[in-house]
Amino acid sequence: MAHPVTIVDVAPRDGLQSDGLIVPTEAKLGLIERIVGAGIRRIETTSFVNPKRVPQMADAAEVMAGLAARRAEVPADDSLRTASFIGLVLNRQGLDRALEAGCDEVNAVVVVSDTFSERNQGTTTEQGIEVWADIAAAAADAGVPASVTLAASFGCPYEGEVAVERLADVVARCVAVGGEEIALADSIGVAVPTDVRTRLAVARDAIAAAGTDQRLRVHFHNTRNTGLANVAVAVEEGVDVVDASLGGIGGCPFAPGATGNVPTEDVAYLLDRMGYETGIDLQALVDAVGWMQSDELLGRSTPGALARAGVFPRTTEPAA
């Protein structure tokens, strides 16, 4: 029997961070509300990073304050109250800001290759693991769940192939730190299903050897049109948390050519047709993409396919 799968929508952070537009805070809040309204219950909402380097996320505190205000206006069982809003943090300073802003969860990043780590975060992988340990401990003290994404788990834009042995070492050390989840990220969209099977097995072995209970999460980019195939394999391998971005917007601004997150609506359709329970309203997601493409937010088309083709089977006949 197919198991339930949670989709974590990363469009408000990963999606908008990679876009050239500086989106107003109010529009970001509208995007988040529409994502929640479609049934998504975990959203990577913003990032607490240097605003000079990532100006698209300079309003992180304002976004969280806006969500707190809207939550205060709705009943306790409203989806806006029950959703979990995640803040990306890259160091202790970012964590402190995220905790002060009221994030429900935090997500850190450790880059598996040294060169990409130095270009992306100004640290070696070794130093990144130390930073993750500090973030995980402080978040635990604050009672806030913390997870870590292992960027470049499948390949590096600067070093090329990332050896399975290298990933195994980094995974084992990050698992030993603790945290709620370990996410394997294909930051530049080079993975294929056989890679996914192999590297998920490495991560599962590390968790089993440590005797811990972290969940595995995956984060795929559709740069080379393999993202959805990789999602399908991951869930068949037992993964029950998948990152995706509404409309397929985003990528990695610090990795050359790393375009295209897997679209939330396409992933939700795939999983629904495969028999996995997501709790998502596909038509509401399609409607949210339509709003995203309007002048209210992006004013352009987005890469996802479902919003163009429509939900199947149709609940209403298309116009003549």
Side-chain angles (χ1 to χ4, degrees):
M1 178 179 290
H3 53 86
V5 177
T6 297
I7 295 178
V8 179
D9 192 284
V10 302
R13 197 284 301 177
D14 193 359
L16 296 181
Q17 175 176 306
S18 300
D19 202 282
L21 293 175
I22 303 297
V23 175
T25 302
E26 193 63 25
K28 291 179 181 178
L29 294 172
L31 173 62
I32 294 165
E33 284 193 309
R34 284 168 173 80
I35 291 170
V36 171
I40 302 288
R41 291 296 172 263
R42 294 177 67 193
I43 303 94
E44 193 174 71
T45 308
T46 188
S47 62
F48 295 84
V49 295
N50 187 337
K52 292 182 179 179
R53 195 166 189 217
V54 189
Q56 296 91 334
M57 299 289 110
D59 62 345
E62 289 79 6
V63 168
M64 291 306 303
L67 289 172
R70 295 183 185 206
R71 277 176 156 176
E73 297 173 351
V74 297
D77 60 350
D78 188 273
S79 58
L80 202 61
R81 289 274 195 107
T82 57
S84 185
F85 298 124
I86 307 167
L88 180 77
V89 299
L90 299 183
N91 51 39
R92 180 60 182 274
Q93 182 181 9
L95 173 67
D96 292 342
R97 290 174 57 206
L99 295 177
E100 183 179 358
C103 289
D104 300 305
E105 303 176 50
V106 294
N107 187 60
V109 177
V110 170
V111 185
V112 177
S113 67
D114 279 321
T115 306
F116 190 15
S117 184
E118 289 165 353
R119 298 284 188 97
N120 190 50
Q121 292 171 219
T123 66
T124 63
T125 301
E126 173 74 26
Q127 292 167 329
I129 295 170
E130 293 172 1
V131 171
W132 161 232
D134 185 32
I135 289 171
D141 288 344
V144 173
S147 300
V148 62
T149 294
L150 304 188
S153 287
F154 297 86
C156 171
Y158 305 105
E159 298 178 15
E161 301 287 355
V162 171
V164 172
E165 295 77 14
R166 169 72 172 188
L167 176 64
D169 176 63
V170 175
V171 170
R173 296 174 67 194
C174 288
V175 165
V177 166
E180 303 292 320
E181 290 173 346
I182 304 290
L184 300 189
D186 184 17
S187 306
I188 58 172
V190 295
V192 296
T194 48
D195 299 324
V196 175
R197 288 194 181 94
T198 299
R199 293 177 189 242
L200 283 174
V202 164
R204 282 196 301 267
D205 288 348
I207 293 170
T212 53
D213 59 356
Q214 290 102 331
R215 293 205 301 181
L216 283 175
R217 194 172 90 234
V218 290
H219 180 108
F220 295 122
H221 287 195
N222 205 36
T223 312
R224 291 166 177 82
N225 210 32
T226 58
L228 289 178
N230 292 336
V231 169
V233 168
V235 297
E236 287 179 339
E237 289 292 312
V239 170
D240 59 5
V241 187
V242 177
D243 287 357
S245 176
L246 187 71
I249 65 171
C252 181
F254 305 110
T259 56
N261 288 292
V262 287
T264 300
E265 64 278 13
D266 294 2
V267 171
Y269 176 80
L270 171 76
L271 296 178
D272 181 69
R273 295 288 289 181
M274 291 176 71
Y276 293 95
E277 180 184 342
T278 64
I280 290 172
D281 181 333
L282 289 176
Q283 188 57 54
L285 276 184
V286 168
D287 293 343
V289 173
W291 178 84
M292 171 190 279
Q293 294 174 340
S294 74
D295 290 340
E296 294 284 334
L297 191 66
L298 297 180
R300 59 173 171 78
S301 62
T302 54
L306 186 70
R308 294 195 302 272
V311 176
F312 177 84
R314 295 182 185 275
T315 55
T316 58
E317 289 298 318

